[in-house]
Amino acid sequence: MMRYPMLTALALVLAIPVAHAQGAKESMPISTPVEALKPGEWVWYDAVAPEGPAMLIVDLSTQRAQLYRNGVRIGVTTVSTGKKGKATPTGIFTILQKKKEHYSNLYDNAPMPYMQRLTWDGIALHAGNLPGYPASHGCIRMPLAFAQKLYGATSLGMTVIIADDRTDTADIRDAGMFLPVDPADSTDLENLRYRWQPEKSPEGPVTILVSRADSQIVVLRNGKEIGRSKVRFPEGEIGTHAITLAAVENGVERWQYIELPGSGDVSGAPFDRAQFASIGMPRQFRLDVRSVLVPGTTIYGTDDPIVKSKTGRTLTVIKDSGQPE
């Protein structure tokens, strides 16, 4: 006589992982606070910015991902990232590949619906189980319905930023022009080494990485490096910041700014437009960089290193081979 209640209870227990795997089928109300979202819940309101460049920011500390288009947040979701020993790498990535139906080559042919690859060694965005804490092998899992909407809103080469500390993504504002051509640049900057190879990737979204630790700027287009230069930084820390070119209107660039505190030993250093504008580099390289700026270009500035030769934590950078540099 007790068999049926036991079977009912078992069925309810078994249903929990399925619910988490699928997530909520419908968006929560727009007024739902980001921190109030439960595992598997999400919000989508893309009508506020139907067009323009997009960028996804994943916050490992809060297990949330937020999508911005034209500098306006249009979606937020709960996620499950890499568990202990399989941590999701932090850094700046671009979407390298998209497949609606994909199966893992590393983990027992596990399904990865709406897969968007960030690295060639197994890190991707996809729909999956959402227990409310980091539980993946490094990938970023999200609700199925959100993963489907995200898949339709992104393009190859789109920037994805993964931060390992609380990310303030509510502060969006004009950042002004970046990398201006300064006729007062000192002539000794012309001796700084640089390379410029735009033919390696003729088109696609542009991402610019600025590292004070390395005194370097790296330019990626569609996820491939097309330029790199040694640069000279002014005194002081620059903090951690992301700036996106939202539009060019009547010849005037409009940038949006997203503060990303908590990177390395520096957290919360305010964005200083004048400090960024005074970064010294060869004049021709500055002109080359300006020639490829298009809406959607994202500039990521950090005090952390981005090359292997430095000690301490590094920023993951995807290069042509798909391996971190």
Side-chain angles (χ1 to χ4, degrees):
M1 296 294 295
M2 296 295 293
R3 178 174 54 184
Y4 296 108
M6 290 178 66
L7 288 175
T8 300
L10 178 61
L12 289 173
V13 171
L14 292 176
I16 291 175
V18 175
H20 281 164
Q22 298 296 323
K25 293 183 179 180
E26 301 292 336
S27 170
M28 301 298 290
I30 294 176
S31 58
T32 306
V34 173
E35 63 275 9
L37 292 173
K38 298 176 182 178
E41 292 183 342
W42 51 278
V43 182
W44 188 268
Y45 41 102
D46 63 335
V48 298
E51 298 180 352
M55 176 171 60
L56 183 72
I57 299 178
V58 180
D59 189 332
L60 302 183
S61 68
T62 63
Q63 294 289 282
R64 301 288 190 272
Q66 304 188 52
L67 179 68
Y68 288 83
R69 187 157 61 197
N70 204 26
V72 179
R73 191 173 68 192
I74 64 170
V76 58
T77 184
T78 52
V79 298
S80 180
T81 58
K83 59 187 177 181
K84 187 175 181 179
K86 296 286 186 179
T88 301
T90 58
I92 186 165
F93 303 83
T94 57
I95 295 176
L96 303 172
Q97 182 188 47
K98 297 177 59 163
K99 290 182 69 176
K100 289 184 178 180
E101 185 176 341
H102 182 73
Y103 298 89
S104 174
N105 297 321
L106 300 175
Y107 302 108
D108 300 323
N109 211 33
M112 301 168 65
Y114 298 101
M115 185 277 295
Q116 302 192 68
R117 185 182 299 280
L118 302 181
T119 75
W120 293 113
D121 58 357
I123 306 301
L125 309 165
H126 65 84
N129 187 37
L130 297 157
Y133 51 84
S136 78
H137 288 92
C139 284
I140 299 158
R141 303 175 185 166
M142 52 189 60
L144 178 63
F146 186 92
Q148 183 178 15
K149 288 182 176 293
L150 180 68
Y151 190 95
T154 63
S155 59
L156 293 178
M158 190 195 84
T159 300
V160 177
I161 294 174
I162 303 176
D164 63 356
D165 212 333
R166 183 171 295 276
T167 304
D168 179 5
T169 54
D171 186 13
I172 306 293
R173 61 181 183 270
D174 285 344
M177 185 179 294
F178 186 78
L179 289 176
V181 176
D182 184 359
D185 277 351
S186 175
T187 55
D188 66 336
L189 293 174
E190 301 307 311
N191 296 323
L192 294 176
R193 291 179 299 168
Y194 74 91
R195 62 174 178 263
W196 185 251
Q197 300 169 301
E199 67 281 358
K200 282 192 167 185
S201 185
E203 58 185 18
V206 175
T207 303
I208 301 171
L209 310 172
V210 185
S211 167
R212 186 178 66 88
D214 296 322
S215 297
Q216 286 198 39
I217 286 184
V218 179
V219 182
L220 308 174
R221 186 157 60 186
N222 209 29
K224 298 181 179 180
E225 183 177 320
I226 63 170
R228 180 183 290 252
S229 178
K230 297 292 290 185
V231 294
R232 185 168 300 159
F233 280 79
E235 293 294 326
E237 298 158 340
I238 65 171
T240 305
H241 310 279
I243 310 139
T244 297
L245 179 57
V248 179
E249 300 164 344
N250 298 321
V252 178
E253 296 168 358
R254 182 165 60 86
W255 295 83
Q256 270 86 31
Y257 161 60
I258 301 176
E259 186 175 358
L260 301 169
S263 176
D265 297 328
V266 180
S267 59
F271 175 74
D272 187 333
R273 174 182 173 183
Q275 187 182 44
F276 269 69
S278 62
I279 295 173
M281 66 192 73
R283 180 180 175 82
Q284 185 56 52
F285 184 80
R286 192 187 293 272
L287 290 169
D288 289 337
V289 172
R290 289 204 55 77
S291 72
V292 300
L293 296 183
V294 293
T297 295
T298 299
I299 300 169
Y300 183 101
T302 179
D303 291 292
D304 292 336
I306 59 174
V307 296
K308 285 182 177 179
S309 59
K310 296 290 183 179
T311 59
R313 194 180 63 180
T314 61
L315 174 73
T316 300
V317 180
I318 304 306
K319 62 178 184 179
D320 296 6
S321 64
Q323 297 298 320
E325 179 170 294

